[in-house]
Amino acid sequence: MTGGTGPGPVGDPVGRALLCAMRETGASVGGVYVLAADAPVLQLTVMSGVPAPFLAPWDRVALAAPIPVAVATREQRLVWVGGPQQLARDFPRTAVAVPYDFSLAAAPVSVPTGSRGALLLLWPAGHGHRLSTAEREAMTAACERLAALLEGLPRPDGSDPPEAPRVLTPPPVRTVGPAEAQAAADYLERLPGGCCALDLEGRITLVTKGAVELLGEQAGRLLGARPWEVLPWLRDPAFEDRYRAAVISRRPASFTASRPPHHWLTFRLFPDGRGLSVWITPSDKDYGPVAPEPALGEVMPVRAGQIYHVLHLAAALTEAVGTQDVVALVADQIVPAFGAQGMLMYVAEAGRLHTIGHRGYPAEAVAAFEGVALSAANSPAVHALGTGEPSFFSSPEEIERDYPGLPRLTGKAARAVLPLIVSGRPVGCCILSYTRPRTFSLEERQVLTSLAGLIAQALDRARLYDVKQQLAHDLQAGLLPHGLPTVPGFAVAARYLPSTHGMDIGGDFYDLIRLDEDSVAAVIGDVQGHNAAAAALMGQVRTAVRAYATAGAAPDEVLARTNRLLTDLDPGLFTSCLYVQIDLRTRRARLAGAGHPPPLLRHPDRHTTVLHVPPGLLLGIEPGARYSTTEITLPQQSVLALYTDGLIETPGVDPDRSVADLATRLNDAPPLSPDRLADALLENRHGDPDRRDDVALMLLAALPGRPVTHG
């Protein structure tokens, strides 16, 4: 039996505080993140319990990222995740990249002058769904100790390439003498099959003669190597994934693999805080033929860690909707993940290079290639767009050789130039750049190349979305009034907010129609749906109402005629509508409704009432439907509010209660102009990212003074 040694613990104060926190809380993995001095980025500075590559996707975390340590730092609160189900629900991006069974907590490390970072702890599978009181208190105390230590230390420079985090190995549980070591060796050799030991990095530190025979490889080649690197038949990422699962969850794991030509072996992994003990035995089952070994020179499969790194970033890209979302995500998430200090994103349109986003570049460097013809420009981006091949420059000398003057212009010493290709079609180019020379390992090049394909897909979808959104915006703008006519004796304001779901277009509409010198009509309606069909029908309804109104029809007849037209058209969509005809001489208003929410009237004393207007049947259902007319007076300094249900509807809330709540808000609003009052009523809807319905609102305020008279 032959043995090897792994690294020992490092004795720095922050590292000792981390190991102390892990010991007091029972955590198996820990890390300390420090907020950079000049960038909204958290940097992992010290860690323990897993190898550094396991946390590589989170070496640098944007403060805005939906990741536990970022949330804890940003919101200054403890974040607890009790298991994989909660992780998938609350942090799906992280769950995709770490699909194992564990619990975690992240807590802010704060000093009087502000946040300094966060403490991250992981517990093995089987931890309770909540932190115990003792664990919570120990974590709080650990954060206080770390805050005292970090307050006297300089913050890392977010613009410089980050240093690799220090990885601490916990001290051994016990030490043994030569006699005990020999006894342990004899014991292992007597076990059936073979045994080996792996450190947390996955390297073999000990191997028995039985294991050497079963693995079919010399002990000298096995020691210090990872099994999947030295044994070709273990290169499938699934085998490495079992090792990763055992290290993170601290649960035993097993797998069966075939050593050519047909020797099936079972591997049982037993993890702890210092590594894994592996028991290897011949399998009692023959699983049949296996795939042949890779030929010499054939590209080997990527490692499991690379796969999860790309999955983590891919999950982030799925959250991007528009082009600027993709640019922001690359700048805020991917640039920090790879330690870059600059980013440029280009698209090629009409044979010219166009910048869609940049970070960390001087204005003159961005302007130098903006809008230049692809045939004339000599730049890495043009070359990438033309060839479809990525390129990597490790030093200013390499860049200067191919593109003279570029290092001086950009101030960058190294760069990865990634063409963005979709189905063989170039859609753009992404450049990650660095202020200092750096080399790009083969694994890093593979990850970046894979990531470029994902960025390309996201960018292609985003640009299509932007085109659809612009089309929807133009269509909606064309169907709604470009302006409202002046109405003597009244001040009028109208607003429209599209749904944040679907095409950003819908069937809500409003209109204000001058009928003659002494009368005006206001109409508001809502066509079922949030798509182009709803918008098209909305245009037809608005045109029909305007035609019948200007022909002199009474309010009930306007709705009846519009209803008959819609039933003849049979669009398959229904429409609610409220029509108001106002006599400007007397301020008498006649109202008729077709299944629409009731209007509100704020009286001069600001007391607000819900007006009872017989709702009538929705337009487009029954051709013979009849509608009723209600008459009211609009006193001077009163406000009539017409709106669609998108302003009041809340899931699970009774509609009458929602109308009453809107009346209360109108009642409590201070005396404002109709424009400012409309903005106040829509205030809670403007920033709603989950607005599932359109909102239309029209306010008619009767001005002080006598009604308008003519003649």
Side-chain angles (χ1 to χ4, degrees):
M1 182 176 67
T2 310
T5 59
V10 178
D12 64 281
V14 175
R16 286 198 299 269
L18 174 62
L19 293 177
C20 179
M22 293 171 62
R23 184 174 63 252
E24 292 177 351
T25 60
S28 55
V29 178
V32 176
Y33 284 83
V34 177
L35 189 62
D38 55 353
V41 172
L42 288 164
Q43 294 187 11
L44 180 61
T45 60
V46 61
M47 58 182 288
S48 181
V50 292
F54 279 35
L55 294 183
W58 304 282
D59 276 357
R60 289 166 60 90
V61 175
L63 194 58
I67 293 172
V69 289
V71 173
T73 307
R74 188 170 66 243
E75 300 182 5
Q76 289 294 288
R77 66 178 177 88
L78 175 71
V79 174
W80 166 252
V81 179
Q85 289 79 20
Q86 186 181 352
L87 188 68
R89 185 187 68 233
D90 296 346
F91 300 98
R93 190 190 301 180
T94 306
V96 166
V98 197
Y100 309 120
D101 192 356
F102 63 93
S103 301
L104 73 81
V109 175
S110 302
V111 298
T113 55
S115 176
R116 286 303 306 263
L119 170 65
L120 174 68
L121 296 177
L122 274 65
W123 285 263
H127 187 283
H129 291 298
R130 293 181 177 84
L131 275 175
S132 69
T133 301
E135 289 169 336
R136 186 179 292 268
E137 290 176 351
M139 198 164 184
T140 300
C143 289
E144 292 174 353
R145 289 194 296 268
L146 286 168
L149 292 170
L150 293 177
E151 190 171 18
L153 298 176
R155 293 175 182 259
D157 186 348
S159 63
D160 286 340
E163 295 182 2
R166 305 186 301 280
V167 182
L168 309 184
T169 303
V173 175
R174 57 173 296 201
T175 56
V176 298
E180 286 182 292
Q182 185 59 49
D186 292 341
Y187 166 76
L188 291 175
E189 294 289 4
R190 286 192 295 269
L191 289 175
C195 300
C196 65
L198 275 61
D199 62 17
L200 284 180
E201 298 278 352
R203 294 186 177 89
I204 298 174
T205 59
L206 176 150
V207 60
T208 66
K209 292 179 180 178
V212 168
E213 293 174 0
L214 288 172
L215 296 176
E217 186 56 82
Q218 297 176 3
R221 279 180 49 80
L222 292 171
L223 282 173
R226 298 179 178 89
W228 48 88
E229 293 176 346
V230 71
L231 301 171
W233 45 277
L234 284 182
R235 284 176 179 164
D236 190 305
F239 302 140
E240 182 190 355
D241 187 55
R242 291 297 80 212
Y243 143 76
R244 293 171 65 92
V247 169
I248 292 179
S249 69
R250 294 291 198 266
R251 275 185 172 172
S254 65
F255 63 86
T256 301
S258 175
R259 193 196 93 195
H262 49 72
H263 301 289
W264 286 93
L265 303 175
T266 296
F267 294 75
R268 295 177 177 87
L269 315 180
F270 302 92
D272 69 4
R274 297 180 60 81
L276 292 88
S277 299
V278 183
W279 182 28
I280 310 167
T281 57
S283 175
D284 57 3
K285 181 177 180 182
D286 188 344
Y287 291 86
V290 296
E293 290 186 49
L296 185 63
E298 184 177 336
V299 176
M300 302 307 300
V302 295
R303 300 268 46 89
Q306 293 174 260
I307 294 172
Y308 288 130
H309 196 163
V310 173
L311 283 175
H312 163 68
L313 297 171
L317 285 167
T318 63
E319 301 170 7
V321 178
T323 299
Q324 288 308 308
D325 292 336
V326 175
V327 171
L329 193 142
V330 171
D332 297 338
Q333 308 292 329
I334 293 173
V335 167
F338 288 91
Q341 290 79 50
M343 181 276 292
L344 277 168
M345 286 188 71
Y346 293 107
V347 294
E349 292 179 344
R352 294 183 178 274
L353 203 63
H354 293 285
T355 309
I356 58 172
H358 61 90
R359 297 289 191 280
Y361 274 84
E364 57 271 18
V366 177
F369 297 101
E370 174 57 32
V372 301
L374 296 179
S375 58
N378 181 32
S379 79
V382 171
H383 178 78
L385 284 167
T387 64
E389 295 293 330
S391 54
F392 300 89
F393 299 89
S394 299
S395 67
E397 291 75 21
E398 288 185 18
I399 304 173
E400 183 69 26
R401 181 188 62 215
D402 293 341
Y403 303 99
L406 192 59
R408 184 176 62 258
L409 174 66
T410 62
K412 299 296 186 287
R415 66 185 61 212
V417 185
L418 309 171
L420 307 179
I421 310 294
V422 176
S423 300
R425 172 176 53 89
V427 298
C429 180
C430 178
I431 298 176
L432 301 182
S433 57
Y434 301 80
T435 55
R436 296 179 182 176
R438 77 188 305 276
T439 57
F440 296 90
S441 68
L442 179 60
E443 286 192 352
E444 194 170 30
R445 294 183 185 213
Q446 286 180 306
V447 170
L448 285 169
T449 302
S450 301
L451 188 58
L454 298 172
I455 296 173
Q457 295 283 349
L459 181 60
D460 200 41
R461 290 194 307 269
R463 296 184 72 194
L464 179 60
Y465 174 85
D466 288 342
V467 170
K468 289 182 176 179
Q469 290 299 97
Q470 188 60 48
L471 175 63
H473 180 273
D474 293 344
L475 177 59
Q476 190 82 54
L479 293 174
L480 289 172
H482 293 283
L484 298 176
T486 301
V487 180
F490 283 85
V492 185
R495 297 289 187 272
Y496 172 80
L497 291 179
S499 164
T500 53
H501 288 255
M503 284 186 65
D504 195 20
I505 187 173
D508 288 18
F509 68 96
Y510 60 84
D511 204 354
L512 190 64
I513 310 163
R514 282 301 300 267
L515 302 177
D516 55 38
E517 284 188 338
D518 297 324
S519 60
V520 67
V523 60
I524 195 163
D526 183 358
V527 178
Q528 173 191 6
H530 308 99
N531 50 37
L537 182 59
M538 176 264 279
Q540 292 175 308
V541 173
R542 179 170 168 250
T543 300
V545 169
R546 177 173 278 268
Y548 296 134
T550 53
D556 57 332
E557 195 60 27
V558 169
L559 294 185
R561 294 181 184 181
T562 304
N563 175 62
R564 285 195 293 272
L565 173 65
L566 292 187
T567 53
D568 289 343
L569 293 173
D570 190 22
L573 299 174
F574 307 131
T575 303
S576 73
C577 187
L578 182 66
Y579 181 87
V580 182
Q581 182 177 308
I582 302 173
D583 187 327
L584 300 178
R585 297 169 300 176
T586 62
R587 291 204 189 100
R588 293 290 294 172
R590 303 168 66 201
L591 300 88
H596 201 80
L600 306 177
L601 180 63
R602 189 169 85 168
H603 297 269
D605 62 358
R606 287 170 49 195
H607 140 230
T608 300
T609 57
V610 179
L611 299 178
H612 175 68
V613 177
L617 196 62
L618 290 167
L619 303 178
I621 297 179
E622 171 56 50
R626 302 179 66 85
Y627 300 91
S628 302
T629 300
T630 300
E631 289 197 21
I632 62 169
T633 298
L634 301 175
Q636 60 176 318
Q637 296 187 310
S638 65
V639 178
L640 180 66
L642 315 178
Y643 55 92
T644 56
D645 56 10
L647 182 60
I648 59 169
E649 277 190 348
T650 303
V653 178
D654 180 73
D656 291 339
R657 172 65 183 274
S658 297
V659 172
D661 289 344
L662 179 61
T664 299
R665 291 173 53 209
L666 182 58
N667 186 85
D668 295 344
L672 300 169
S673 68
D675 278 304
R676 294 180 61 192
L677 183 58
D679 290 337
L681 293 176
L682 291 173
E683 185 176 8
N684 67 331
R685 291 293 184 182
H686 272 291
D688 185 1
D690 198 36
R691 192 170 58 245
R692 295 185 175 272
D693 200 359
D694 308 34
V695 177
L697 172 67
M698 180 181 288
L699 301 178
L700 297 99
L703 300 174
R706 298 174 58 84
V708 176
T709 59
H710 297 278

